Structures are given as structure tokens and as C-alpha cells.
Amino acid sequence: MTKDFLKELKKICPKGFIDKKEELLVYSFDTSQNEEVIILPLAVVFPTNTDQISQIVKIAAKYGVSIVPRLKGTNHCGATRPTDNSIVVNFSKMDKIINIDKENLIAEVEPGVVIGDLNKELDKQGLFFAVDPSNLAVSTIGGAIALCSGGPRTYKYGNAKDWIINLTVVLADGSIVETGKNIAKNVTGYNLTSLFVGSEGTLGLISKATLKLIPKPSYRLLTLCYFDSIKQAALAATNIINSGLVPSVLDLIDKTTIETIEKFHPCNLLTEFDAALLIELDGFFECVNIENKILSKILQESDSKKIIQAKNEKENEDIWLARRSAFSALAQLKPSVVTEDIVVPKSKIVETVEFIQKLGKKYNIITAAMGHIGDGNIHPNFALDFNDPIEAENFEKLKDELFNYAIKQEGTLSAEHGIGLAKKKYLALAVDKNALELMQKIKILLDKNNIFNPKKSL
């Protein structure tokens, strides 16, 4: 039966088909924590249009084979890892920017479009797509939709759900649905678009997206300021928020992160301080200058020890390089780096970061904390060696404490990295029982045979 299935599958994508074991191995993992058992997909297919996706789904349903959607595989929750009796549908060949409509401020794109590449094209027309994951050089639209990505600019601009206005989706029976319209406002019927954003490929396969755009801010000013403690940095962030300023970026970086970046990706960061805030103001030049005067006064009154502001675009990029280098720098310390993604109320930021640091010491695991302090999203990074059984066991204990702590603080498991395989066992602790049951009913309604990304999320 498998041979018949693969034969039919290959006919759909004859130039985009892989079934050799050594090639399938590449698609057996992503950037999430490695499992002991590696599961190879039966095949990997690379569709180039919606019709091919529909045919793939129908064939898979016919033979009872599961489908795991995938692009770059950079997610941290195991959402793109194959499960038993599955194929991987890789959307990397669907990478066209179909249309940029400046008059109506929308862009139609395929899921494989890289966000960094999209913004380069938008920049030529003075436009801006605000979803800004830290690895935007490789992050794709499809991945951002699947996980409802955000990034440093979420505090001011929101995350993916606020910027996706229409989707073309292939459902479990192979039918094709358009979830909305290519217009900015639409309350005609249920909001199906938002249903699929953040669903991690468990409800349908997205083949096209319409994005909301805005004019690109004409001026940006980036500030990096240092503090003697996490608490002082967090209080400064609170003072900024309470002042009425709305920075496009308000990020916290702890000492371990600063030291590790500077060691492996020297960016002239000051390692003698315990914490730093990365703050970006954007808008019209005159407005940003007025806001900067307010910001500078707040930082001085909040006991910032050193304030550095970018003087030009190159210095802007140098500071951003430091911010985006955190993960790769930490990867130099141990064979693996696990980036977690908890959310707590903004008022709980200080004690949460301090708790994370204590966990690292308790379990003897290298721990670095950073995050989008403006919206309560903390990214603790853990560097460790999973081949060391003691370290691996300690990390499991650390995770249990971390997630239970976040939930007890009236927070939750994820803001932008998703649930996938990695956090599924904690979901019932974080979500209202009736809400979880409703989600499960929706899954059954749209995918009764459970062929889309099984064992993930719910």
C-alpha cells in the first residue's frame, strides 16, 4: 500500500519529491529539543500551487497518511517534526510575492516568502509589514501564520493575527476555502482567518495569505541603556509605559546574554552591567525627537548607568545585530540551546526573570533571559548537552517548574513559539477546560481523520 501511495504522490509533484532515507533524515527534526527516537517521513513533497496541495491532501486522506506542513524548520516547539506514517509537505517552492497593492495597503504572498525579503521589497515602495521575528532573515510568512509570530515590535504593532486579513486554505477533504476578503475591515460572518492563525498546521494547509500593510515609519531611533540590576531595568520599562510613550521595541536583555553575545559576536556591548533595555522609537522625525526627550529624562530618573543611541542607520543595524545574535552566541557554549517562550503579566516580569535565574543555578544549567518586556513575553535560553543524562533530566525538571510557575503567575505557555510537541502535556494546565474541549471539537469538525499535524498542539 505504501508503494502505491508514494507512486501516486510522486505523480502530483514529479519534480518535487523525496523518498531516499538519507534525504528524509534532514526533515526528521527542527530546532526543538531532540527526541531519542527519530521518525522519518514516508516522503517529502514540494508543491508549487494550491491545486497540487489539494491533490496531495486527497491522496493522503485516501491512504490514511498524515501530513506535516513545513518551511524552514526553525520553530522551537516541534511543530514541524514528522510523526508515524506521515509525509512532509514543504512549501519552500511557493515563495512568490504575488502582488503589492500600495493603494489598498495589502500584499498577497505565498507561504514560503521570507519576511526579511518581503520587507526589502516593501521598503522600495515606502511600506511596512510589522511582524518582526528575530530570525526574519529565514522566517517565512507561512511559519509566522502557523505560530502567530510576533517579535520585538509586538508591543506597538501586535503579532501575526493583527496583520493577516485573508487566507487560502486547503481543508482535510481537499476542498479550498477563502477565509476572508482582501479588505481591511470585514465582520461578515465568523472570523475564520484568525481561526487558522496560530493553529500550527492542525486545521488546514495555507497556500496564500493577504497581509495588511502600513506606510513605513519615516524615522527610527534605537537606544541601548544599561542598568545595575534586572529590577532597575524593569522599573525603567514600567516608567516608560506609564509615561504614555509607545516604543516600537521595548526589550530586556540580562547579563548572561550580554556577556555571551560579546564573547562570540563582539558588538561593543558593555558587559559590566547586569541588564540592558533595547528601546526603539519610530514615526516622524519631529515626533521621535520630542518622544526621545521624554525617554531620556525617564532613563536618567530611572538610574540608567549608560545610555547609547544610534546616530545613523549603520549604528541601528549594529545594535540590532547584537540583539539578533543571542541564540547563535549561546549555541557556542553547549551542543544544544533551548529557547522557551513564556508570558506573564508585565507586573510579574522582575520576579519571573529572577525565578528563571534561580532555576538555572538550582539545576546547574546555563541560563540567559531576554524578552519583550513591553508585553510580558520572556525568552529564557538554556544551553545544555542532552547527551549528558543528568543534564537532560535536570532540564526536564526545570521545564516543569518554569511552565507551572508561569501559569501560577496568571501567565501562559507561549506568546509566539507555539505548543507543538514540546508543550502539549502542559496545555490542560494553561487553558480553561471548556475552552480546550471546544478546541478539540473544532479540530474534529475540520479534520475528523486527524491527518493534519497529528499529536501537535491539542
Side-chain angles (χ1 to χ4, degrees), residues 29 58 85 101 108 111 117 139 150 194 197 213 223 225 234 245 269 276 288 292 306 320 340 351 398 432 449:
F29 58 90
K58 289 176 181 177
N85 196 41
D101 185 341
E108 293 177 273
D117 294 340
S139 291
S194 287
V197 176
L213 308 175
T223 300
C225 51
L245 291 178
L269 298 180
V288 171
N292 186 46
K306 185 73 173 180
W320 270 118
E340 287 301 347
E351 58 191 272
L398 183 154
D432 173 80
N449 294 320

Side-chain angles (χ1 to χ4, degrees), residues 80-100:
T80 61
R81 297 180 64 167
T83 49
D84 293 324
N85 196 41
S86 66
I87 61 169
V88 168
V89 177
N90 191 306
F91 292 87
S92 60
K93 290 190 176 182
M94 298 182 66
D95 60 354
K96 298 181 185 66
I97 299 173
I98 300 167
N99 179 44
I100 296 174

